[in-house]
Amino acid sequence: MKTIVVISDTHGNRQLLDKLDPIFAENDYVIHLGDTSADGNYIRMKHPEKTYVINGNCDPVNLGENEKVISVEGVKIFACHGHRYSVKSNLYKLAEKAKSLGCGIALYGHTHKAFETEIDGVTLLNPGAGKKYSENSYLYIVINGEKAVFKTVTVQV
């Protein structure tokens, strides 16, 4: 069994990242989906062996990757920020890309709204945003073999 914390669109909210640091420490993986990748790098400096950083559309310096396929136990996960797949309009391009890569889960941010749905056998998950002056949330995923369960968690700062 492996656990993953997914966060996105923190836009410099280091107060939230510091508050979540014990949660980052106790999980197997941390994925920051961009905006800003500097925040993802801040997490990666503390937890380098388990943190993945994705670049977003508001990242002037790319400290991560534009997208990544991550295999956890028997599950392949496609991680991106989402802006390159027009996720504010619809999720079909994202689902198609994830499926073409053999991924059963696609993680994305960009919209600042936590959301979950399934399209053509791909589970699409958005952790919401962690920026200042908004409702903060992250996504918690547990993977056991080929089964994944997930929950969006709201955080007060």
Side-chain angles (χ1 to χ4, degrees):
M1 181 175 79
K2 299 290 182 187
T3 57
I4 307 168
V5 174
V6 184
I7 192 163
S8 188
D9 296 281
T10 50
H11 293 278
N13 189 356
R14 298 287 170 91
Q15 181 182 4
L16 173 67
L17 299 180
D18 290 339
K19 181 175 184 170
L20 293 178
D21 192 62
I23 294 168
F24 299 149
E26 71 185 17
N27 284 278
D28 296 302
Y29 300 96
V30 179
I31 303 171
H32 190 289
L33 297 173
D35 284 356
T36 67
S37 60
D39 295 340
N41 197 50
Y42 180 74
I43 299 167
R44 184 169 49 198
M45 288 189 313
K46 295 179 182 182
H47 309 285
E49 69 288 348
K50 62 181 171 182
T51 302
Y52 295 95
V53 179
I54 304 298
N55 299 318
N57 62 301
C58 293
D59 291 323
V61 177
N62 292 331
L63 298 172
E65 301 177 64
N66 291 328
E67 49 193 46
K68 178 130 183 103
V69 173
I70 303 164
S71 294
V72 178
E73 295 209 353
V75 178
K76 283 180 74 176
I77 301 167
F78 178 65
C80 68
H81 184 64
H83 62 294
R84 295 171 188 235
Y85 297 95
S86 305
V87 297
K88 287 186 178 180
S89 300
N90 68 66
L91 297 174
Y92 293 104
K93 288 180 194 174
L94 178 57
E96 183 180 301
K97 176 66 174 184
K99 189 169 186 168
S100 75
L101 296 170
C103 298
I105 296 175
L107 303 175
Y108 70 100
H110 189 55
T111 67
H112 295 200
K113 293 182 186 326
F115 189 72
E116 60 187 63
T117 193
E118 185 176 317
I119 298 175
D120 200 18
V122 177
T123 301
L124 299 112
L125 301 170
N126 186 322
K131 64 181 185 161
K132 294 178 184 176
Y133 314 114
S134 72
E135 181 175 90
N136 298 304
S137 61
Y138 66 89
L139 183 66
Y140 181 69
I141 303 173
V142 178
I143 297 179
N144 190 0
E146 293 185 9
K147 183 175 180 173
V149 293
F150 47 87
K151 177 164 181 59
T152 301
V153 180
T154 303
V155 182
Q156 300 297 321
V157 180

